[in-house]
Amino acid sequence: MALSSALLPRVGWAAAASDVTLEIAPYLLEASPRHHFRTVAYNGQVPGPLLRMRPGQEQSIEIHNHSGDPEIVHWHGLYLPPSIDGSMEEGTPMIAPGGSVRYSFKPDPPGFRWFHTHTFAGKDLTKAQFGGLHGFVMIEARDNPGRYDREVFLALHDWGGHFEGNDDGFMNPVYDVSTINGKMLGFGDPLRVKQGERVLMHVLNSSPTEVHWIALAGHGFRVIALDGNEVQQPQTIAMLRLAPAERVSAIVEMKSPGVWILGEVRKHVQAAGMGIVIEYAGATGKPVWTQPEDLVWNYQQFAGRGTAPSGTAPGDDPAIPIVLAFDSKFQGHGNEELWRINGKSYPHTDEPVLTAGRRYRLIMKNLSMDDHPMHLHRHTFEVRQVDGSPEMHGLWKDVVLVRAKSTAEVEFLANHPGRTLFHCHQQDHMDRGFMMVFRYA
Ligand SMILES: [Cu+2]
């Protein structure tokens, strides 16, 4: 039996009234015996159930909201109509407290996706993405040849957030506890492996606000996909960087017997709990960590030439540029800043109009001192340039981290008519105006 199913009960696709039922309800998370968090979860577990779906095969999902607050479920990375994509700004109806909805759709595109709440948190750092409402979606054909022995799904998350002012008077969330699959390092089940195994790790950063850096002592990661889309040039690297909502799929060859730590590279975050023990069969002893000296990551190394995932093949016309400048308006000491796109905050942001069949190039100029993980709903984009890099090809994502005082450029084919939300995935930033909607003509 795959270890992933031992860690995360699967929801199958047995013929029934609906293929999957999600129960949204209050939940007490035990990150360790001394760290409990009152939150809300899907099906009484954090992360929620792993949903396996077949590409293009009708899937029905029933959702019951027992939480006492209106809820909404966003299907991150899927091509769904605005009525069910899971964003109020696109027109998806909220699920009332005590209410239920039933969705039916044909999952697309194939790959590692996820689902999560898309509500407002404001000053309450237990709500929306600060809580436990996130889960994995794997859309995969039955005949996946699998160059690996088994799959493991890992979600990185931060808990117990509160606002803290920095030297400039800006308020940012900081956290007491960080977890992998809801557990602090040393308190979850170890990942038990065998020598010679090839383990495909699907890592999701479900953190409301934090970028995370992950390494596995004694091992490298063979990165084969970013945001669920195969990369043109797989690379074996020592550490992964994941901005909020990003995913990395990497194969780890288990060829260094022992007991190791897979965890956050930054000491204070690992000390707050972000780690999991990797234990070879027959190995004993204290888990070993080796501290990397530098944080190293770049998107460019994975780019190359090649074909696009289904439905996103670039057309022949040159892309139409859309320039978006990001900045913030200081609201006074002790307040959070108001975030702006081209000088306007949601709901007053522009609504650019797209023509179906045309390609667009988002030129994102980050004038601010913060990094922003920018997410486009209902589409996949091609990352073409980041941090002053040369032009790139074939790197397909749905989130890109636009670093402070830098420009990033992405292109996408407007091939999914309907309202489309574009926003910073950092919860406190989107709550403070960092969103806009694209419309189709
Ligand atoms: Cu942001």
Side-chain angles (χ1 to χ4, degrees):
M1 188 184 65
L3 186 69
S4 54
S5 50
L7 284 175
L8 297 159
R10 282 182 192 181
V11 170
W13 45 85
S18 71
D19 303 313
V20 169
T21 303
L22 293 178
E23 307 278 355
I24 301 171
Y27 178 72
L28 185 68
L29 176 78
E30 187 182 302
S32 87
R34 294 194 303 112
H35 299 89
H36 293 76
F37 297 97
R38 279 188 196 288
T39 186
V40 181
Y42 297 113
N43 297 4
Q45 61 183 91
V46 173
L50 164 61
L51 306 183
R52 287 191 178 269
M53 303 177 185
R54 306 280 186 222
Q57 188 176 309
E58 191 82 23
Q59 175 84 30
S60 74
I61 296 180
E62 216 169 279
I63 307 171
H64 304 285
N65 179 11
H66 312 286
S67 74
D69 291 309
E71 265 303 333
I72 191 163
V73 181
H74 170 50
W75 302 92
H76 187 123
L78 279 75
Y79 305 151
L80 296 180
S83 58
I84 61 172
D85 181 57
S87 144
M88 292 170 285
E89 296 78 9
E90 292 172 348
T92 314
M94 298 289 284
I95 311 165
S100 299
V101 290
R102 185 163 172 169
Y103 300 140
S104 240
F105 57 82
K106 291 183 172 158
D108 188 41
F112 176 28
R113 316 292 166 207
W114 65 300
F115 61 103
H116 62 85
T117 184
H118 217 289
T119 52
F120 177 85
K123 290 196 187 317
D124 186 344
L125 303 195
T126 65
K127 290 210 178 300
Q129 292 171 57
F130 292 100
L133 290 173
H134 50 266
F136 310 106
V137 177
M138 195 69 206
I139 304 172
E140 199 171 37
R142 198 181 294 270
D143 58 0
N144 182 347
R147 295 150 296 168
Y148 52 86
D149 298 306
R150 59 195 173 96
E151 288 174 294
V152 171
F153 291 79
L154 302 173
L156 318 175
H157 208 75
D158 301 286
W159 305 88
H162 55 275
F163 280 112
E164 217 168 78
N166 66 13
D167 297 343
D168 302 328
F170 290 107
M171 302 296 282
N172 287 302
V174 294
Y175 299 88
D176 297 332
V177 163
S178 299
T179 59
I180 295 182
N181 286 357
K183 294 289 184 189
M184 293 172 74
L185 177 59
F187 295 101
D189 289 334
L191 206 53
R192 294 190 178 87
V193 301
K194 293 195 200 84
Q195 187 171 358
E197 257 185 334
R198 292 158 59 83
V199 179
L200 175 53
M201 296 188 177
H202 295 292
V203 188
L204 158 70
N205 184 353
S206 62
S207 175
T209 63
E210 300 302 288
V211 174
H212 285 299
W213 299 82
I214 296 295
L216 169 49
H219 300 75
F221 295 102
R222 178 84 177 160
V223 174
I224 60 167
L226 296 181
D227 293 355
N229 306 314
E230 276 186 33
V231 297
Q232 301 293 310
Q233 297 193 62
Q235 303 286 346
T236 301
I237 54 175
M239 72 181 71
L240 312 176
R241 186 197 71 184
L242 296 100
E246 282 191 313
R247 289 90 70 206
V248 176
S249 300
I251 292 175
V252 179
E253 279 189 55
M254 296 299 169
K255 53 184 184 185
S256 305
V259 183
W260 304 96
I261 291 174
L262 181 157
E264 237 283 4
V265 174
R266 295 166 302 165
K267 287 177 189 166
H268 68 284
V269 187
Q270 191 179 115
M274 188 167 283
I276 184 170
V277 174
I278 311 289
E279 190 182 285
Y280 279 70
T284 53
K286 206 169 165 295
V288 174
W289 173 250
T290 34
Q291 183 61 46
E293 283 179 19
D294 302 307
L295 300 177
V296 184
W297 177 262
N298 69 74
Y299 287 126
Q300 298 97 286
Q301 62 186 319
F302 307 109
R305 294 172 190 284
T307 51
S310 65
T312 53
D316 296 321
D317 295 334
I320 300 163
I322 299 176
V323 178
L324 304 170
F326 307 150
D327 72 356
S328 65
K329 196 172 171 220
F330 190 53
Q331 302 283 289
H333 273 263
N335 282 316
E336 271 206 287
E337 54 267 63
L338 199 58
W339 288 96
R340 309 192 296 190
I341 302 175
N342 292 347
K344 297 171 194 166
S345 294
Y346 192 84
H348 307 293
T349 35
D350 298 331
E351 288 197 357
V353 178
L354 309 175
T355 300
R358 298 302 303 270
R359 257 178 344 123
Y360 293 86
R361 188 175 183 106
L362 304 182
I363 300 166
M364 298 177 276
K365 298 182 173 182
N366 182 1
L367 310 176
S368 79
M369 301 296 287
D370 285 354
D371 299 349
H372 301 290
M374 300 307 302
H375 171 46
L376 182 66
H377 282 223
R378 306 178 56 250
H379 296 74
T380 307
F381 54 66
E382 187 180 26
V383 180
R384 299 300 297 269
Q385 190 267 314
V386 285
D387 294 336
S389 72
E391 210 46 28
M392 293 185 263
H393 298 273
L395 186 66
W396 293 90
K397 293 179 86 318
D398 51 53
V399 178
V400 65
L401 188 68
V402 186
R403 298 189 57 202
K405 297 283 178 194
S406 83
T407 296
E409 304 188 15
V410 303
E411 287 191 9
F412 69 100
L413 180 65
N415 55 354
H416 300 288
R419 289 172 72 80
T420 299
L421 189 64
F422 172 74
H423 66 93
C424 176
H425 219 282
Q426 191 169 326
Q427 180 80 49
D428 60 319
H429 291 182
M430 61 185 284
D431 286 352
R432 300 285 296 168
F434 207 152
M435 297 198 281
M436 72 191 300
V437 172
F438 292 100
R439 288 191 289 131
Y440 275 72

